Amino acid sequence: MSIAKRDFFNLLKVSIESINPGQLICNSVQNKNSILKLEKKFIFKNQILIDSIGIKNNVYMAAFGKAAFGMALEMEKIIGEHLCRGIAVLPFNQPTKSTLSKIEFYSGGKFNMPDQDSVLATKKIFQMVSNLTENDVFIALVSGGGSALLALPENFTPNEDYNLEIKLKTIKLLVKSGADINDLNTVRSCLSQVKNGKLSFLAHPATTLALVISDVIDDPLEIISSGPCCAHSVCYPNKQAEKAIQVLQKLNILDKIPGEIRNFLIKKISDGIDPEIENFLENQKVCNFLIGNNKLATLAIMEELKKECYSNDVRFLLTNSLSSEAQCVGFVFGIMSFLLVQIKDKNIDWIENKLSFNDLIKSYIKNFGYDSDKFETIISTFYSKIFSDENLKEKISSEKKIKFCVISGGETTVNMSNCQSIGKGGRNQEMTLAFEFCFTKLMKNHHHSGLDLLFSSFGSDGIDGPTDAAGAYYLYDKDKILNEQELIDFLDQHDSFNYFVKNNRLIITGPTGTNVSDLQILLINF
């Protein structure tokens, strides 16, 4: 087996284990003599400080998201007899029973979209928190995927089923138009009775403690699961509606969404602040804690590399904020890998300055028929983190073999707005396919017999798009004959899943029960 392939599957395992939701809860909360103590270092900025609170048969809990099962069970152990009621809403493909738990488990959100099941479960949470008193403690366990599971559409019309239907139409239109997670949650949070801080508002006057595992770039509280306990979001419904309309205008779909939703948002802009909301803002007792994120997983990979695999060689944590279109990112990873191989083989010289690097990368991109302006940010990131590194320059210029590794994380998009025939896949599979096409095409006349290279992008939740795969991987094979047109066809139709099924290179983990967005691993032994 390839050393890169062996190391990759070890790093995949390490990354998922590092974000185990039960362990993250244990790391952040303790029960000492019926006093809950929480780690101050995890508190989001601009929060009221609540790092300890007494509990006595007065705790109510709601968990929602892809990590809800593990978070809820561990928190139940910590709270013990003081838990009065707990409700957890899980993805449809996760278990919904635990024989030793008194938590009520529900499932919904098929293919990461709100549905009738998630609405029914959310109504139970709505009813529970609406009856809390100032002596109660409400604990919200929030994780990625929660936007589809904590779902209760606003009353756009008197028909509840129709309200869900038109909200779904709007969400699907956003996704098809290439909306990133920030844009998506900016809009859908305005269309909900429990998002944008409204869950913590409903729980008032109880004390609300929210423990959050982030799946969003840079961990903005108001965006993670659409910010159900982000108290300050409640106060400006008009500004939130303005932002939502700006997103819809930017994507050129404001006139395409259902009229009832468009009218709802326009009316919301002119609404004043409700006196009850003003009272909540003056007296709220809400504190959010960030207990897990993408950075945690990438740091665990870096530690494993340091300990086991690449102790004497070159490794980079590129970024935890990788965005842009998946194909664009895959192409830049592919071009960068090709350049490194060529430098090592002394076919080209080390690229000394940023301008030369930018021009070279853009020339390759233009040769592939793409607009190089779309790649500006990711090109700059690669140069500043990798090609300006003197240690790499020294080692890649030597005669010795080296092991090279790049780790990154974030969330990219797939824009299918101009695609007539859409296949099956997800952003991670699409990025990996773009890498494969780019790298194999560039290497067509540059065989390297000793090259051991693997690239992969995968979702930490084990699910990539509407597929049962977490992602895919590419492993360099000098003997494989490039079928350029086949790769182009699969890319153009966004049909990466079927390509990797054909080539047996899907990553199948099953649902991991956690979610900190996507991870990329590039390993080169040369």
Side-chain angles (χ1 to χ4, degrees):
M1 178 190 279
S2 148
I3 292 173
K5 185 176 179 180
R6 180 203 67 192
D7 290 346
F8 166 71
F9 279 100
N10 176 52
L11 296 174
L12 170 66
K13 180 172 176 282
V14 166
S15 67
I16 302 304
E17 288 176 347
S18 72
I19 49 173
N20 177 281
Q23 190 59 51
L24 295 179
I25 291 289
C26 282
N27 294 344
S28 54
V29 189
Q30 289 182 309
N31 181 353
K32 292 188 175 180
N33 300 318
S34 298
I35 296 176
L36 281 186
K37 293 186 175 292
L38 300 100
E39 288 284 347
K40 288 182 184 179
K41 65 182 179 181
F42 295 133
I43 295 177
F44 278 89
K45 292 180 180 178
N46 303 318
Q47 301 278 302
I48 294 172
L49 175 60
I50 307 173
D51 62 345
S52 66
I53 189 167
I55 54 174
K56 188 175 182 180
N57 303 318
N58 62 340
V59 181
Y60 296 80
M61 181 173 72
F64 39 89
K66 293 177 181 177
F69 189 75
M71 293 176 83
L73 290 181
E74 196 59 43
M75 184 57 79
E76 182 182 26
K77 291 178 189 175
I78 292 170
I79 297 168
E81 63 186 9
H82 301 295
L83 181 65
C84 298
R85 189 181 182 191
I87 301 172
V89 194
L90 317 176
F92 73 99
N93 52 7
Q94 287 188 15
T96 54
K97 288 183 180 179
S98 178
T99 53
L100 300 177
S101 175
K102 61 181 181 182
I103 297 169
E104 303 162 37
F105 290 100
Y106 301 92
S107 64
K110 195 168 186 179
F111 296 127
N112 209 28
M113 289 286 178
D115 55 20
Q116 290 290 356
D117 291 331
S118 49
V119 169
L120 288 172
T122 303
K123 283 182 178 179
K124 293 182 181 296
I125 294 174
F126 185 101
Q127 292 160 1
M128 177 181 75
V129 300
S130 297
N131 293 312
L132 299 183
T133 72
E134 62 182 351
N135 297 318
D136 294 323
V137 176
F138 172 53
I139 296 178
L141 305 176
V142 184
S143 58
S147 292
L149 297 169
L150 187 75
L152 190 59
E154 286 277 14
N155 296 313
F156 314 115
T157 75
N159 187 324
E160 287 188 0
D161 291 344
Y162 183 63
N163 291 337
L164 177 60
E165 180 185 327
I166 59 177
K167 183 179 178 180
L168 275 171
K169 282 183 180 178
T170 304
I171 293 171
K172 288 177 180 177
L173 190 56
L174 283 160
V175 172
K176 187 177 180 182
S177 300
D180 63 21
I181 190 66
N182 286 13
D183 288 343
L184 185 60
N185 283 0
T186 295
V187 175
R188 62 183 171 188
S189 62
C190 287
L191 310 180
S192 170
Q193 296 185 53
V194 287
K195 298 182 173 77
N196 250 350
K198 295 168 196 167
L199 185 63
S200 57
F201 169 64
L202 290 167
H204 185 71
T207 299
T208 294
L209 304 173
L211 279 69
V212 180
I213 298 176
S214 171
D215 66 333
V216 183
I217 289 173
D218 298 332
D219 312 318
L221 178 59
E222 67 275 13
I223 298 296
I224 304 163
S225 287
S226 304
C229 296
C230 182
H232 69 259
S233 293
V234 180
C235 59
Y236 300 116
N238 54 342
K239 290 186 178 179
Q240 297 295 336
E242 279 183 12
K243 287 181 181 178
I245 286 177
Q246 287 168 4
V247 168
L248 295 166
Q249 288 174 329
K250 178 181 74 173
L251 297 171
N252 296 315
I253 57 173
L254 181 60
D255 60 342
K256 297 177 184 177
I257 65 171
E260 295 89 345
I261 286 185
R262 184 169 55 251
N263 294 338
F264 173 84
L265 290 172
I266 291 170
K267 180 180 179 299
K268 204 80 172 172
I269 291 175
S270 59
D271 284 354
I273 299 179
D274 188 315
E276 288 188 20
I277 291 178
E278 288 185 327
N279 176 60
F280 164 69
L281 293 170
E282 289 176 8
N283 301 288
Q284 56 100 352
K285 298 173 289 182
V286 181
C287 192
N288 289 264
F289 298 78
L290 178 65
I291 66 169
N293 60 4
N294 190 271
K295 186 176 181 180
L296 196 64
T298 55
L299 288 176
I301 295 173
M302 293 296 283
E303 281 300 309
E304 184 69 13
L305 289 168
K306 185 177 178 181
K307 180 176 67 178
E308 296 287 345
C309 306
Y310 289 63
S311 57
N312 297 315
D313 296 294
V314 189
R315 55 192 177 275
F316 295 94
L317 176 49
L318 183 68
T319 179
N320 293 104
S321 304
L322 195 66
S323 57
S324 188
E325 290 184 24
Q327 282 194 24
C328 296
V329 176
F331 270 102
V332 177
F333 261 108
I335 294 168
M336 181 206 68
S337 301
F338 171 73
L339 291 176
L340 288 171
V341 172
Q342 294 308 297
I343 292 169
K344 183 63 178 170
D345 287 349
K346 303 192 185 311
N347 292 328
I348 62 173
D349 294 328
W350 181 259
I351 305 155
E352 288 292 348
N353 63 73
K354 186 175 182 179
L355 183 60
S356 299
F357 179 78
N358 283 1
D359 289 345
L360 184 58
I361 295 280
K362 286 182 177 181
S363 69
Y364 282 114
I365 290 167
K366 287 177 181 176
N367 287 338
F368 282 115
Y370 284 81
D371 177 7
S372 61
D373 290 341
K374 293 167 65 176
F375 296 74
E376 197 73 48
T377 301
I378 186 67
I379 291 173
S380 178
T381 301
F382 272 98
Y383 179 80
S384 62
K385 285 293 182 74
I386 296 174
F387 280 87
S388 62
D389 187 86
E390 290 297 323
N391 182 43
L392 174 61
K393 177 182 177 181
E394 178 185 340
K395 291 195 173 184
I396 204 169
S397 301
S398 74
E399 298 298 326
K400 294 180 180 178
K401 286 189 174 183
I402 67 168
K403 289 183 175 181
F404 172 85
C405 176
V406 176
I407 306 298
S408 63
E411 183 167 323
T412 57
T413 59
V414 176
N415 190 337
M416 299 178 288
S417 56
N418 297 318
C419 185
Q420 299 301 314
S421 176
I422 298 174
K424 185 177 182 180
R427 58 183 180 254
N428 292 289
Q429 295 161 63
E430 177 134 331
M431 187 191 300
T432 306
L433 182 56
F435 178 97
E436 178 166 347
F437 170 63
C438 175
F439 186 75
T440 53
K441 183 174 171 62
L442 291 172
M443 288 290 290
K444 187 176 180 180
N445 299 314
H446 299 276
H447 294 301
H448 188 301
S449 59
L451 179 62
D452 183 17
L453 177 148
L454 183 144
F455 174 79
S456 175
S457 185
F458 59 93
S460 60
D461 58 355
I463 301 167
D464 185 32
T467 77
D468 59 358
Y473 69 91
Y474 164 74
L475 184 66
Y476 174 69
D477 181 353
K478 66 181 178 61
D479 297 321
K480 184 173 181 179
I481 298 172
L482 172 66
N483 186 336
E484 187 174 327
Q485 190 56 52
E486 179 189 46
L487 285 164
I488 290 171
D489 290 343
F490 276 106
L491 273 174
D492 286 348
Q493 294 171 26
H494 304 287
D495 198 22
S496 51
F497 176 83
N498 286 311
Y499 176 81
F500 287 113
V501 166
K502 178 182 176 182
N503 289 276
N504 195 31
R505 284 191 273 111
L506 287 171
I507 299 170
I508 307 291
T509 62
T512 62
T514 190
N515 186 21
V516 295
S517 198
D518 302 335
L519 297 161
Q520 293 77 38
I521 298 178
L522 171 65
L523 303 173
I524 310 178
N525 302 328
F526 56 167

